[in-house]
Amino acid sequence: MTHRFPIKEIARQAGLGTATVDRVLNNRAHVSDQTRARVTAALAELQAQEAQLSARGRRLFIDIVVEAPQRFTKQIRSACEAVLPQVSQAVYRPRFLFQELMQPREMTATLTRIRKRGSHGVILKARNTPAVHQMVDALTQARIPVITLVTDLPDSARLAYVGLDNTQAGRTAAYLLAQMLGPTRPGTAPDPILTTRSQQEFQGEAARFSAFAHHMSRACPGREIVQITGGAGLDRATRAALDQQLITLPRIGAVYSIGGGNRAMLRALQEADRLPQCFIAHDLDAENRALLQQHDITLVLHHDLTQDLLRAFQALSAWHGLSPPIDDSPRTSDVQIITPHNLPSAR
């Protein structure tokens, strides 16, 4: 049995005497199968510990590239800073590239630069476009693993997706709104539901909307769903899109805000005297926390970004051979329902 550890160290790890370990290593007689298994396990444990100790001195540079409003990228940065002390396999050095609006051409150029410069991995929130798919495939071919965050790039060569189960979130929003709105009174036309998405190309938002619309049509048949898209979750652009829609929308029963820009939306709705019966938003950022505390929105569908990023770094560690391979279990986060009455303390 080949090894590179002193017999005393193996014996200590296995909880056996040195003479017994010596007999196992030299394949001598009068040793039980159980004892041989204990020595084999001890060697594997010592090898894993040695790899972990050497890895702690290794630095890995990870590029975190995100198109999102600043209120959300602040959450990502904070979650990353909270997670990294828990990751012991290596010393991770994140390089953040955040932009509130990143056109596909800009995203492609950014990923091209990363491929040429080199990286130990990319954590990516990007639109689901053919050009981005091609760049993810190119990064993977260059031995740079890609983890998609919050919104996925299905059928690309990305290593893994981490983030909210967006289909579950859409179904949850539909169920909650149906319960809050209640049945339509006979002989009356139900007020429409307004939904907002920051960009059509974000697969995660598309999955939320699709699940929401499907389950809402079954729970509240006949209630119209009006979409606003393209505001990028930014106040000015979202407000402009909503103002245009309000011209032909005399009443609003509820709002399901998938893409953000909620303070600007509420201001526009109040000025137009169209405040809804209930308002569901996503992500417990500083803005939504304040709106919840003021009871301006009804509830927030939230998920734990720290767990998402922890799973991302675990997947990267496994890809680099610094930890055992992770299983194929889903890495999606369950939706949490946050109201003014169970609002967690700010970090």
Side-chain angles (χ1 to χ4, degrees), residues 62-66 68-86 92-99 123 125 149-150 285 304-306 308-310 313 347:
I62 305 300
D63 292 279
I64 302 180
V65 181
V66 174
Q70 189 178 53
R71 60 179 177 272
F72 188 67
T73 55
K74 283 182 178 179
Q75 284 188 287
I76 293 175
R77 186 185 291 271
S78 296
C80 190
E81 291 170 351
V83 160
L84 285 178
Q86 305 175 40
Y92 281 98
R93 292 286 182 259
R95 298 183 290 209
F96 298 102
L97 198 160
F98 296 154
Q99 279 188 217
I123 298 175
K125 180 182 182 293
L149 174 67
V150 180
D285 54 38
D304 192 344
L305 265 175
T306 58
D308 296 339
L309 285 164
L310 181 59
F313 284 113
R347 292 184 183 275

Side-chain angles (χ1 to χ4, degrees), residues 295-316:
H295 293 257
D296 290 328
I297 59 179
T298 312
L299 58 90
V300 168
L301 299 181
H302 181 60
H303 70 287
D304 192 344
L305 265 175
T306 58
Q307 289 302 309
D308 296 339
L309 285 164
L310 181 59
R311 292 185 185 107
F313 284 113
Q314 288 171 340
L316 290 170

Side-chain angles (χ1 to χ4, degrees), residues 151-198:
T151 184
D152 199 10
L153 299 170
D155 302 321
S156 71
R158 56 99 170 119
L159 176 64
Y161 164 74
V162 296
L164 182 64
D165 184 330
N166 288 295
T167 298
Q168 180 195 68
R171 288 197 301 257
T172 301
Y175 173 80
L176 292 169
L177 275 185
Q179 297 300 309
M180 288 186 285
L181 293 172
T184 303
R185 288 180 295 177
T188 62
D191 293 341
I193 295 171
L194 180 70
T195 64
T196 65
R197 291 160 56 187
S198 64

Side-chain angles (χ1 to χ4, degrees), residues 6-26 28 31 35-36 38-39 42:
I7 288 180
K8 285 184 178 179
E9 189 173 356
I10 301 170
R12 189 181 304 116
Q13 185 72 27
L16 299 169
T18 55
T20 301
V21 171
D22 181 72
R23 286 199 300 274
V24 172
L25 295 176
N26 290 287
R28 295 195 179 100
V31 178
T35 300
R36 292 185 188 279
R38 286 175 65 181
V39 173

Side-chain angles (χ1 to χ4, degrees), residues 67-69 71-72 100 125-128 149-154 161 164-167 169-171 195-213 227-234 238 256-261 282-283:
E67 179 190 356
R71 60 179 177 272
F72 188 67
E100 291 195 315
K125 180 182 182 293
R127 305 184 204 184
N128 184 23
L149 174 67
V150 180
T151 184
D152 199 10
L153 299 170
Y161 164 74
L164 182 64
D165 184 330
N166 288 295
T167 298
R171 288 197 301 257
T195 64
T196 65
R197 291 160 56 187
S198 64
Q199 299 288 355
Q200 287 188 341
E201 295 91 351
F202 282 131
Q203 187 272 345
E205 292 187 10
R208 292 178 198 176
F209 175 79
S210 178
F212 173 79
Q227 288 192 70
I228 295 176
T229 61
L234 303 176
T238 302
Y256 177 33
S257 173
I258 299 172
H282 269 276
D283 302 316

